[in-house]
Amino acid sequence: MSERRALVVGATGLTGRNTADHLARTGWQVTGVSRKQGMDTDGVRNVSADISDPVSIAAVAQEVGATHVFYCTWSRQETEARNIEVNGAMLRNVLETTGRTGTLEHVCLVTGLKHYLGPFEAYAQNPAQPPFHESQPRLAHENFYYTQEDILWEAAERFGFTWSVHRPHTVIGYTLGNAMNMGVTLAVYGTLARETGSPFVFPGSPEQYDGTTDITDARLLAEHLAWAATTPAAANEAFNVTNGDTFHWRQMWEVVAAGLGVEPAPYPGQPTPLEHRMGDAAAVWRRIADREALIEPDIDRLVSWWHTDSDLGRTVETHAAMTKSRDAGFSRSQDSSRSFLDLFDHLRAQRVIPAGVNET
């Protein structure tokens, strides 16, 4: 096997961190790019660069000479028009600079199921019908995912590399300081409920509580990215990436509660958004962190109340078909209950939540 040199863009994020870790453990030469302090994973070389600055990322691209790029980042903006402008420019900078090296063989672009649901400002307004299939047409809304795909396809034709687009659902896995991290958010929520005696109530919509949904384990997504990057049958294709099972939050909420050592409260029949209920959470969390010697006393570096509310507050069912990946040869699956329980165990081991939070 020739040397595979991976450039993981967004290596401190939820997807990027797990991807870089998986690649390093399976023999790749891995460089992780981020604007923040790098991750502490063995085998991953960390580089600081600003991908919104072509000069900054060009220096990294030339030095690394990547054979494979894993694009695992985005920047949330106030409007979808700005999302298109900013996120399109960042991807274009990465592809232009890595494409010019002449070493690039494949690019994996991570987007998501908003491809089928629409952007935040038109979220779940006339969405596609689940289960989502990759062959379904684009929605009639501006969407930066669509812009990124167009940029990717144009660059691939010009520079001669292959590509794959990966559309995960809500990603569950370990990282800190991520703006879209429901698993860690729920772990903090359960810890706060245990501390204060407040009800651990499912905060989302009746449609999510009783409807069919799925999630994506960050570890499975990392495997899917590595598979697509090195499998001819996956070249120049878009794929959904989910665990391969489905569930109702009615049952999963009991699993999550048990994993965090709290009692699940009766569902009130309507959404009770976390963002409106957690006004005093920062002070309570700092008290817990000081008492339990946790590694992060700043709750804002752990939770994403707004994103979890958005995810769990949908008024439509959301689940994606994995048939296309299966037909192309990707056979891995992941039990979704274990996605949550494994994450909670890891958070305890890393002293992110108290070690005894699951004791009864």
Side-chain angles (χ1 to χ4, degrees):
M1 181 181 72
S2 60
E3 184 180 52
R4 292 170 174 167
R5 298 183 300 279
L7 186 68
V8 180
V9 182
T12 56
L14 180 53
T15 298
R17 180 189 184 98
N18 283 272
T19 298
D21 177 69
H22 174 74
L23 295 172
R25 285 188 289 104
T26 53
W28 291 61
Q29 181 178 315
V30 183
T31 301
V33 177
S34 64
R35 283 196 289 186
K36 299 183 293 185
Q37 182 178 355
M39 58 188 289
D40 54 353
T41 296
D42 291 341
V44 178
R45 172 175 171 259
N46 297 291
V47 175
S48 178
D50 180 2
I51 62 173
S52 67
D53 178 1
V55 175
S56 178
I57 189 60
V60 174
Q62 193 62 43
E63 178 192 357
V64 173
T67 58
H68 297 74
V69 168
F70 298 84
Y71 193 89
C72 305
T73 191
W74 76 294
S75 176
R76 187 189 183 201
Q77 304 297 311
E78 293 182 357
T79 66
E80 194 61 16
R82 281 288 291 161
N83 274 330
I84 290 170
E85 179 184 351
V86 172
N87 289 283
M90 292 194 304
L91 178 61
R92 187 178 290 109
N93 289 342
V94 171
L95 298 181
E96 288 290 330
T97 54
T98 55
R100 288 196 203 109
T101 63
T103 61
L104 189 58
E105 298 174 13
H106 189 91
V107 174
C108 292
L109 169 64
V110 179
T111 60
L113 293 196
K114 286 192 292 296
H115 184 96
Y116 308 107
L117 290 165
F120 284 120
E121 60 192 49
Y123 197 53
Q125 298 176 17
N126 302 313
Q129 292 299 310
F132 302 139
H133 292 272
E134 296 88 341
S135 59
Q136 289 170 306
R138 291 178 174 181
L139 304 178
H141 299 292
E142 285 192 322
N143 192 322
F144 83 86
Y145 288 170
Y146 304 161
T147 300
Q148 286 186 317
E149 287 184 345
D150 293 342
I151 291 169
L152 175 64
W153 299 339
E154 188 277 331
E157 184 169 349
R158 188 153 43 89
F159 291 114
F161 58 80
T162 58
W163 56 268
S164 53
V165 175
H166 304 255
R167 300 169 184 164
H169 195 176
T170 302
V171 180
I172 304 299
Y174 180 78
T175 197
L176 305 181
N178 184 264
M180 298 174 67
N181 197 336
M182 186 172 75
V184 175
T185 298
L186 293 181
V188 171
Y189 174 33
T191 303
L192 291 167
R194 183 181 174 92
E195 174 78 10
T196 63
S198 57
F200 187 63
V201 60
F202 178 75
S205 68
E207 292 85 353
Q208 288 297 300
Y209 191 65
D210 287 314
T212 301
T213 192
D214 53 20
I215 56 173
T216 304
D217 192 298
R219 300 167 298 185
L220 182 87
L221 176 55
E223 291 185 44
H224 195 274
L225 289 163
W227 164 79
T230 57
T231 301
N236 303 329
E237 298 287 349
F239 295 98
N240 298 328
V241 193
T242 63
N243 282 355
D245 61 5
T246 58
F247 61 88
H248 293 184
W249 273 108
R250 176 184 292 277
Q251 287 83 31
M252 187 63 77
W253 198 247
E254 296 180 359
V255 173
V256 169
L260 295 171
V262 292
E263 287 293 320
Y267 182 59
Q270 71 277 332
T272 54
L274 294 169
E275 194 164 25
H276 302 320
R277 293 164 49 206
M278 295 294 154
D280 299 326
V284 177
W285 184 259
R286 188 168 292 276
R287 182 179 74 225
I288 297 171
D290 289 346
R291 185 185 69 227
E292 303 290 339
L294 303 182
I295 63 172
E296 183 50 74
D298 183 357
I299 198 171
D300 291 332
R301 281 192 41 79
L302 298 176
V303 302
S304 51
W305 305 128
W306 69 271
H307 182 260
T308 298
D309 285 338
S310 175
D311 240 336
L312 299 181
R314 297 189 193 111
T315 57
V316 296
E317 286 193 333
T318 305
H319 51 103
M322 281 291 288
T323 308
K324 185 176 180 180
S325 286
R326 303 289 183 245
D327 288 346
F330 184 79
S331 59
R332 283 276 291 110
S333 61
Q334 167 68 42
D335 180 280
S336 291
S337 295
R338 286 255 51 100
S339 293
F340 286 106
L341 298 177
D342 289 352
L343 172 62
F344 299 157
D345 285 344
H346 192 64
L347 292 172
R348 283 186 280 269
Q350 296 297 313
R351 304 298 302 167
V352 179
I353 61 175
V357 74
N358 66 333
E359 295 175 358
T360 57

